[in-house]
């Protein structure tokens, strides 16, 4: 899906982690930021969202919020 650019690739790590390296083309929205929920409102609900973090705990949290 990443190679085919089928959906939005969402990096939910901190800006510092993102600066250390990221998947090209990903969008950074830090799930630990108090404004995470309002930051995801403008996302297109008609395309899949692929969520990633460092160890999967934050991506699971973000996925549950996105649902």
């Amino acid at each position: 899906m990443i190679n085919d650019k089928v959906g939005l690739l969402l990096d939910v790590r901190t800006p510092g982690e993102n600066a250390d390296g990221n998947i090209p083309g990903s969008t950074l929205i830090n799930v630990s930021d108090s404004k995470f929920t309002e930051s995801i409102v403008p996302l297109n609900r008609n395309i899949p969202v692929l969520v990633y973090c460092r160890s999967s705990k934050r991506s699971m949290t973000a996925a549950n919020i996105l649902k």
Side-chain angles (χ1 to χ4, degrees):
M1 290 180 80
I2 293 170
N3 291 335
D4 294 337
K5 298 182 182 168
V6 172
L8 171 69
L9 183 56
L10 184 60
D11 180 351
V12 296
R13 300 172 304 150
T14 66
E17 290 172 305
N18 180 271
D20 288 340
N22 59 57
I23 299 173
S26 63
T27 298
L28 175 65
I29 304 178
N30 179 3
V31 73
S32 300
D33 189 310
S34 62
K35 296 184 181 195
F36 178 77
T37 303
E38 63 188 74
S39 296
I40 61 173
V41 169
L43 298 180
N44 184 342
R45 294 176 177 254
N46 298 314
I47 61 170
V49 178
L50 301 105
V51 185
Y52 79 95
C53 67
R54 186 185 53 162
S55 66
S56 77
K57 183 176 180 185
R58 290 173 288 177
S59 58
M60 182 62 76
T61 299
N64 286 326
I65 294 169
L66 285 162
K67 283 199 284 187

